[in-house]
Structures are given as C-alpha cells and as structure tokens.
Amino acid sequence: MADSSSSLVNAHTHLELGCFAHLCPPDSGASFVPWIIELINARRDIAPQGMAPFRAAVEAGIETLRASGTTVVGDITATGESVGPLLDGGLNGIVYYEVLGLNGDEALGRLSDARRKINEWRRREGVMRVGLSVHALYSCHPDLFREGARWCVAESVPLCVHAAESPAEIELLVNGTGDFREYQRAFNFPDFPIPGLSPIAYLEDLGVLEARPLLVHCVEVSDDDIARIARSGSTVAHCPRSNARLRCRRMPLEKFLAAGVAVALGTDSLSSSPSLDVREEAEAAIALHAATVPADSIRALLDSPMPLGEIDHA
Ligand SMILES: [Zn+2]
C-alpha cells in the first residue's frame, strides 16, 4: 500500500471550504439539495468576515495534504484564495478557478472575468497549474459551458466539472423536475432549458468533452455515458465518502476501469467529507467496491499518472 513517502494524488478538494466543516453530514448522510442550499447560506452569512476564513482554511488544508503524503492535488476555488498558496506551496497539480451562474449574460460576464484572472495567474505557474472549473450542470447556463470549454481547448487550459453526482441532477436534466428545479426557482431562474439528456450526454452535446475535462463524481452514468467519457479521454475523480454522506449512489468504478478511463481518488471538501487524507478515501473505496474491484487496483489509483487532465490540447 502507498505510504506517506509516496506521491499521493488527491484529485478533488475545495480547500477553502474547510471553514464549513461543521456542515459535513453525519455517516447516515443528508439530502443533497438541502445541504447545498445550507452551504450557500453559510457562505452568505460569513461574507462580512471577508476572505480571512477561507485563507485560514486553505493554509490548514495544505498542511493536512502534506502531512498525509499528498504531493498532487486538484483543488477548486470559488474565491481565488487558494491560488496563491498553491502556486507557492510546492505541491504539484491544478488549481481550478470556479465560475457558475444560471443567467446566461451574467455567467458569461463572470467567465470573462475568470479568463482575465486565470491568464494573470498562469504567468506564475510552476509545478502547480491553473485551470477553469465550470461548477455543475444544475448551476450553470449552457452558454457558460460552451464558451468555457471552447476557451479551455483554444488556450490549453485544464477544465474541471462536477457531473452526474446525484439522482436529483438526473431528474432535473432528463425530466425538468425534482429538488434541483426547486433550487433553481428559489434562485429565480425558471427558464433553465431542460436538455432531456443524461449529464454526460449533455456535456458531450455542449462540446465540453472536447476539452477532456476532469469530471468529478460520475456516479449516475449509463454504459453509453462511460463509453462517451472513455472516447473523449476525459478523467474522472471518485469521491466515495462525499457521495455516501450526500446520499448519492455507488459509482460503478469497475466499469470505468474496464473501459480504460483514468480514475483518481479525491476527498472532496471538508463540508462533505470527514478528512482530506486520500489514504482514508482509498480505504472507503475498497470497502464500497469490495465485490467488484480488487483492493490493489484501488490503491493503485492513489498515485495514478496524469490524473487531472494535464494534457496538451494543441
Ligand atoms: Zn466538489
């Protein structure tokens, strides 16, 4: 088994969300949509404190990664606060700056702001690179995905997307119903176009798979979806402890591995996971997939090469 002297990969974190560790659901889990609304409200509530809570969480998170022997990380930051510490921190990997928005014009405005910031940060890249995260299919207008992916392909910028995480996401995208429809109405976006497609088919339709993104979660996937991911050369981040605590189902890891998809393990943030130690994520994955994937195959994912979509788009 990989030990603390190994080069471990934690493919999915949101270090800055460590300040919301108190929102992490218990072992028995919590429903996805109420949890994410609680997270949004918590972010609003600490806004008067500025960036200090996020900055402190990033510093603590980097220390935890180092202590657990992690040398490669795929981190998402919505505030931008983790970019500087990760660029300067000696860890390898990608820090993705996140954009979201259901109003098309507003979202595209945020994208151009993000592009400007990412271009600035990229001048300071070393072993840590800077990428773009377009948050998730239920929280982003399709134009944001189209334009974001087009830019990532043109500029060789790594892209990360949360996809196919919960049954509620399927219900929204296929049928236009369920908890996420209520979430969108609560944020006053009743006109979100329902694609009538699975999340992965929708990403393909939007041109997102051409950017060969790091796809986070990929729990709710059909065999056709797995084939789409394999064909595109995209990579997948598997976060079983976060999935369990948000009452998502079992990700079909054995099918991804059989299809030759690059899979890496990720802890996700401390707001939905009990630790940032990816070795503990591997143990959880071994227990979850005991009937279908050998333990050694799962431990091998801890140091899988090129796990974060670090590819040359040219
Ligand atoms: Zn995430």
Side-chain angles (χ1 to χ4, degrees), residues 12 14 17 32 35-36 39-40 43 76 78 97-101 132-140 144-145 159-163 165 169 180 183 203 214 216-217:
H12 185 56
H14 304 250
L17 297 184
F32 191 93
W35 169 82
I36 205 163
L39 190 60
I40 291 165
R43 291 183 69 135
I76 290 182
Y97 184 55
E98 182 172 85
V99 290
L100 53 77
L132 174 72
S133 166
V134 181
H135 174 250
L137 291 164
Y138 55 81
S139 63
C140 295
L144 181 53
F145 277 106
L159 176 64
C160 180
V161 177
H162 293 87
E165 183 173 7
E169 185 179 332
F180 271 124
Y183 160 100
L203 286 174
L214 174 64
V216 181
H217 299 305

Side-chain angles (χ1 to χ4, degrees), residues 188-200:
N188 204 23
F189 293 107
D191 299 326
F192 177 79
I194 303 302
L197 296 169
S198 75
I200 304 301

Side-chain angles (χ1 to χ4, degrees), residues 7-228:
S7 307
L8 303 183
V9 177
N10 188 341
H12 185 56
T13 61
H14 304 250
L15 295 178
E16 65 193 15
L17 297 184
C19 60
F20 301 124
H22 58 285
L23 297 181
C24 183
D27 284 342
S28 53
S31 295
F32 191 93
V33 177
W35 169 82
I36 205 163
I37 289 173
E38 208 179 348
L39 190 60
I40 291 165
N41 289 337
R43 291 183 69 135
R44 190 197 53 211
D45 291 346
I46 67 158
Q49 297 176 50
M51 290 295 130
F54 299 113
R55 209 169 298 147
V58 167
E59 298 293 348
I62 290 174
E63 281 313 304
T64 307
L65 292 176
R66 286 207 185 98
S68 63
T70 301
T71 57
V72 182
V73 65
D75 187 57
I76 290 182
T77 178
T79 65
E81 286 299 312
S82 76
V83 178
L86 284 172
L87 284 175
D88 298 335
L91 292 168
N92 204 322
I94 300 173
V95 52
Y96 303 92
Y97 184 55
E98 182 172 85
V99 290
L100 53 77
L102 287 162
N103 176 305
D105 291 340
E106 202 175 279
L108 289 176
R110 288 178 188 165
L111 177 63
S112 49
D113 183 51
R115 286 164 49 164
R116 187 180 49 74
K117 287 181 179 169
I118 291 168
N119 281 333
E120 292 266 316
W121 285 322
R122 288 178 84 198
R123 295 193 194 127
R124 295 172 50 202
E125 279 182 344
V127 289
M128 180 66 61
R129 295 188 63 197
V130 184
L132 174 72
S133 166
V134 181
H135 174 250
L137 291 164
Y138 55 81
S139 63
C140 295
H141 192 277
D143 287 346
L144 181 53
F145 277 106
R146 287 190 194 97
E147 289 303 315
R150 195 175 304 167
W151 179 67
C152 285
V153 170
E155 300 291 326
S156 293
V157 173
L159 176 64
C160 180
V161 177
H162 293 87
E165 183 173 7
S166 64
E169 185 179 332
I170 302 290
E171 203 181 339
L172 172 75
L173 298 179
V174 176
N175 303 320
T177 55
D179 283 357
F180 271 124
R181 202 69 180 123
E182 297 310 311
Y183 160 100
Q184 293 184 330
R185 287 199 182 101
F187 290 95
N188 204 23
F189 293 107
D191 299 326
F192 177 79
I194 303 302
L197 296 169
S198 75
I200 304 301
Y202 184 32
L203 286 174
E204 184 178 62
D205 197 53
L206 291 167
V208 174
L209 297 187
E210 288 165 36
R212 299 165 73 184
L214 174 64
L215 298 169
V216 181
H217 299 305
C218 293
V219 173
E220 299 291 337
V221 287
S222 67
D223 291 352
D224 286 346
D225 290 331
I226 292 170
R228 287 182 176 100

